Amino acid sequence: MSPDIAQLEKTASQVRRDILRQVHGAKSGHPGGSLGCADVLTALYFRVMQHNPDFKMEGKNEDVFFLSNGHISPVMYSILARAGYFPVKELSTFRKLNTRLQGHPTTHDHLPGIRIASGSLGQGMSVACGAAFSKRMNGDKNLVFSLHGDGELQEGQIWESAQFAAHHKLDNLISIVDWNLQQIDGPTEKVMANGDLEAKFKAFGWSVVQMNGNDMFDVVSTLERCKENVGDGKPQMILMKTTMGFGVDFMMHDHSWHGIAPNDEQLANALAQLPETLGDY
Amino acid sequence: MVRQAHHDSHPEPVERFLNYKNNTKMKVTDIQKIDERETRGGFGDGLHELGKMNPNVVALTADLAGSLKMNAFIKDFPERFVQCGIAEANMMGVAAGLTIGGKIPFTGTFANFSTGRVYDQIRQSIAYSNKNVKVCASHAGLTLGEDGATHQILEDIGLMRMLPNMTVIVPADYNQTKAATIAIADYKGPVYLRFGRPKCANFTTQKFEIGTAQILCEGTDVTIIACGHLVWKAIEAGKILAEQNVSVEIINMHTIKPFDSEAVLKSVAKTKCVVTAEEHQRNGGLGDAVAQVLAINNPTPMEMIAVNDSFGESGTPEELMQKYGLDTPQIVSAALKVIARKN
């Protein structure tokens, strides 16, 4: 039986603890975006996606996910470990020498669950398009999901892949943008405004919906609705409003938490706000 | 092997083929042109053969299907062709994604747009991710001709051979480009296959094996190591040198990476001097690869025929090869010069 909203929220709380503990342990990493995306990834891997933790690179006859904004690797690693792709205790090796949990995700060290390296931004939607095309060629009815940062949409390749997906009617592709309005140098509106994202993707030929990425009920119901829309000839875009640093009061709404680690005191303060639901690693 | 039958199906003088196989001493004067063909035609024909042989092979292009001679593949296997429009960065990512699901993508565009334009996409999504993508690049080098320097990439071999996981192949003629195209489908991992635009001598008959250099003729006075269009020019130079009683050993170094160091060292042990010849910048190309092997293992007098730190320009292929010093007479001069340096 698939987990209910309350169970998913408990999992997401543990995932947030994992994120903070990984970044604290490595004394580096990207907690802000990771915390903001903890809910959607929990929903995908623990309820929405049909996937197999007994990992096979080719991903035939299962849903596959691509993390294009690779810097939020802490949330990806926690999700994969908690979903059974690799031992949870391996999270303690994050960003350390000889780890499979590299600063940005890679296939290089054969970490189960990772199908492409990401980190240099803008490339994941193209890869997702290729995987979606491959599924269509194979008569494989499963879906392809991808996640992107909103700052990442400033990369030109995103728009190349957006036109490709619409032109080739890749309706087995569901892409999600983490619309937290923050990037390294400040608010996206100041650094390089994204403009009307809904109108932009619609003009490119996508179906577009919005959701609150930090409301588990909205996340699950939107994702499940999108799954039902598959087959209408259009790729789907979910513009997901999130709060960077969600779940930790002093990190929320502050772009300076994009890429720095909490100190001991900050970690203790943050963990006190997040119940340990599945046991820390 | 069934596959072998396909790429050896081109008419060829059987006796000469047997000579090669037996590794009896070929003379440079024995090497004859079969006909003149475009290397890109070898790619197109090889791809078409692959379409029949391997259902996982898919072809991608960025609005250059005709230039890459992909039409036969597209006609017979439309469902395995992916048009990407003029968006090469996306094409490389799509190719990487197609491998997930088991496809073997062959991307086809000009060499400039296959490498420099998309270096980071190849680096992260293909090379570092170790995806089974075949980056197939036509119109490389000066012989692209009249379109000029914007399109005449002379840095691509260097860019690609610097990437870990990447295999780099520069076939010498039509036959070899066709054989290489077929061979790389069964070779797991990212490959850069470089070929060109104009018709040129088609002469290779040896079995193509990735990573194994071909000794086209044996000699004792000088080793000429060439790749791509320069291999035939090296043969022409060898014939002129033979008239002057200079004994030339010619190596067709069709695989730049992994590099057949052993073939170089064995040859140089005999000839004690080397000329390299390539349609590429001196920086980063075949000559650099040879120099590295020699400097470390057996420092040897060496001359390099390559473009020397400059961009190309408009002109006919012949005019450009002459002006930029990549022609037969320059190889002859370089050979005589390097022989003199031995003493």
Side-chain angles (χ1 to χ4, degrees):
Chain A
M1 216 177 78
S2 53
D4 61 22
I5 300 299
Q7 284 171 304
L8 291 169
E9 283 171 341
K10 279 184 186 165
T11 303
S13 178
Q14 186 65 51
V15 167
R16 288 191 162 93
R17 290 180 70 88
D18 290 348
I19 292 165
L20 293 160
R21 296 181 71 241
Q22 285 176 84
V23 174
H24 174 262
K27 299 186 178 64
S28 74
H30 297 78
S34 296
L35 291 166
C37 290
D39 301 307
V40 71
L41 278 166
T42 300
L44 282 169
Y45 276 81
F46 291 86
R47 173 141 168 186
V48 177
M49 277 171 49
Q50 205 181 79
H51 66 105
N52 185 1
D54 180 14
F55 180 68
K56 292 193 178 54
M57 180 58 81
E58 290 197 351
K60 284 183 177 168
N61 303 311
E62 63 176 314
D63 296 337
V64 297
F65 172 83
F66 295 99
L67 183 72
S68 190
N69 47 339
H71 56 275
I72 67 165
S73 55
V75 63
M76 188 79 240
Y77 296 149
S78 168
I79 290 284
L80 289 174
R82 297 286 171 184
Y85 281 81
F86 58 85
V88 172
K89 64 177 179 223
E90 199 171 340
L91 294 175
S92 65
T93 69
F94 175 62
R95 284 185 171 238
K96 291 178 178 159
L97 193 64
N98 300 321
T99 185
R100 299 195 292 179
L101 279 57
Q102 291 288 304
H104 293 80
T106 172
T107 58
H108 192 259
D109 307 292
H110 309 288
L111 183 69
I114 304 296
R115 291 192 166 87
I116 196 82
S118 59
S120 176
L121 294 171
Q123 301 186 27
M125 193 182 284
S126 302
V127 176
C129 285
F133 218 114
S134 186
K135 281 197 180 293
R136 181 200 286 173
M137 286 172 168
N138 288 336
D140 175 344
K141 297 291 180 204
N142 281 89
L143 304 179
V144 177
F145 293 86
S146 64
L147 178 61
H148 311 267
D150 54 356
E152 186 185 8
L153 302 183
Q154 292 156 9
E155 292 282 5
Q157 188 181 346
I158 288 284
W159 302 98
E160 291 186 5
S161 50
Q163 76 184 350
F164 179 93
H167 177 82
H168 288 290
K169 301 184 167 50
L170 296 178
D171 58 9
N172 54 350
L173 172 66
I174 300 174
S175 293
I176 303 160
V177 168
D178 177 19
W179 201 6
N180 62 18
L181 297 168
Q182 305 291 329
Q183 59 189 113
I184 297 178
D185 278 354
T188 51
E189 285 305 303
K190 276 193 182 167
V191 177
M192 185 55 63
N194 275 319
D196 188 340
L197 282 180
E198 180 154 350
K200 279 185 176 176
F201 278 101
K202 278 186 176 160
F204 270 72
W206 289 54
S207 296
V208 186
V209 294
Q210 294 193 19
M211 74 180 183
N212 179 351
N214 298 129
D215 175 336
M216 191 60 84
F217 179 80
D218 194 22
V219 169
V220 169
S221 51
T222 305
L223 288 170
E224 289 186 341
R225 212 165 48 241
C226 286
K227 275 177 79 170
E228 286 166 19
N229 291 342
V230 165
D232 70 352
K234 284 182 170 187
Q236 299 187 70
M237 170 55 66
I238 301 174
L239 296 173
M240 176 179 75
K241 291 205 163 135
T242 65
T243 300
M244 185 184 264
F246 190 86
V248 179
D249 56 9
F250 62 90
M251 290 185 174
M252 283 162 71
H253 305 291
D254 183 355
H255 69 86
S256 65
W257 284 101
H258 166 87
I260 55 165
N263 61 28
D264 294 350
E265 194 185 330
Q266 288 164 333
L267 177 71
N269 181 356
L271 291 180
Q273 302 173 37
L274 296 162
E276 181 181 346
T277 53
L278 301 172
D280 286 339
Y281 60 83
Chain B
M1 258 171 70
V2 180
R3 210 144 286 184
Q4 196 57 41
H6 281 285
H7 66 83
D8 283 343
S9 64
H10 194 70
E12 62 193 22
V14 174
E15 277 178 29
R16 279 183 50 225
F17 185 64
L18 290 176
N19 277 345
Y20 276 123
K21 282 190 87 168
N22 295 335
N23 205 20
T24 51
K25 282 182 187 173
M26 278 286 291
K27 288 181 192 155
V28 69
T29 45
D30 294 337
I31 305 173
Q32 298 302 328
K33 176 156 71 174
I34 301 163
D35 53 15
E36 292 211 343
R37 289 173 173 229
E38 298 157 336
T39 49
R40 57 179 163 146
F43 167 69
D45 290 348
L47 187 67
H48 188 221
E49 290 295 322
L50 276 176
K52 298 179 223 167
M53 288 154 55
N54 191 333
N56 286 323
V57 167
V58 297
L60 297 83
T61 191
D63 197 32
L64 285 171
S67 297
L68 271 284
K69 304 289 178 189
M70 289 170 147
N71 293 334
F73 181 95
I74 296 167
K75 182 171 168 284
D76 286 350
F77 312 104
E79 73 291 349
R80 285 194 268 147
F81 169 67
V82 185
Q83 175 59 264
C84 296
I86 310 166
E88 295 83 4
N90 179 57
M91 177 168 72
M92 293 304 165
V94 169
L98 279 161
T99 66
I100 296 157
K103 301 300 167 200
I104 307 172
F106 282 62
T107 66
T109 182
F110 291 170
N112 187 34
F113 314 137
S114 295
T115 57
R117 190 179 178 92
V118 293
Y119 198 61
D120 188 43
Q121 285 76 18
I122 292 181
R123 182 177 179 275
Q124 176 172 288
S125 292
I126 297 175
Y128 184 42
S129 295
N130 203 16
K131 293 302 177 204
N132 197 21
V133 174
K134 316 304 170 185
V135 179
C136 302
S138 184
H139 293 55
L142 293 174
T143 52
L144 168 138
E146 294 80 353
D147 279 351
T150 53
H151 288 49
Q152 291 161 347
I153 194 161
L154 293 162
E155 301 82 28
D156 55 322
I157 295 174
L159 288 170
M160 290 298 117
R161 69 180 267 264
M162 277 196 292
L163 288 173
N165 288 344
M166 185 63 79
T167 291
V168 180
I169 300 174
V170 186
D173 64 0
Y174 168 93
N175 279 352
Q176 192 157 71
T177 307
K178 185 175 174 185
T181 302
I182 292 167
I184 60 179
D186 284 339
Y187 184 85
K188 204 146 174 56
V191 174
Y192 179 61
L193 181 68
R194 183 208 214 218
F195 42 92
R197 173 180 177 237
K199 278 189 178 172
C200 57
N202 182 36
F203 59 95
T204 58
T205 52
Q206 276 174 296
K207 183 179 186 302
F208 175 80
E209 198 180 315
I210 296 167
T212 307
Q214 296 179 339
I215 316 297
L216 296 182
C217 61
E218 295 190 17
T220 51
D221 293 330
V222 59
T223 302
I224 304 177
I225 305 173
C227 64
H229 292 142
L230 268 291
V231 178
W232 181 250
K233 294 200 179 287
I235 293 166
E236 286 180 334
K239 288 178 180 177
I240 293 168
L241 289 161
E243 286 168 16
Q244 302 171 31
N245 291 321
V246 176
S247 167
V248 179
E249 180 145 311
I250 299 174
I251 299 180
N252 173 10
M253 193 61 80
H254 52 71
T255 307
I256 311 293
K257 191 183 172 196
F259 193 70
D260 191 349
S261 306
E262 202 189 320
V264 173
L265 293 170
K266 258 170 93 173
S267 181
V268 162
K270 192 166 55 172
T271 63
K272 311 271 195 284
C273 66
V274 182
V275 174
T276 58
E278 63 195 302
E279 192 180 346
H280 189 268
Q281 299 287 356
R282 181 184 280 207
N283 289 328
L286 168 68
D288 257 13
V290 172
Q292 194 182 108
V293 167
L294 292 178
I296 292 168
N297 298 286
N298 182 13
T300 304
M302 176 173 171
E303 294 291 326
M304 291 161 101
I305 297 293
V307 175
N308 192 6
D309 199 24
S310 92
F311 290 104
E313 62 182 291
S314 292
T316 66
E318 298 75 23
E319 288 167 342
L320 291 164
M321 295 299 263
Q322 209 171 15
K323 175 165 179 180
Y324 287 84
L326 307 187
D327 217 344
T328 308
Q330 284 95 358
I331 300 176
V332 172
S333 306
L336 294 172
K337 186 177 170 193
V338 82
I339 289 168
R341 283 175 60 199
K342 280 202 273 188
N343 305 314

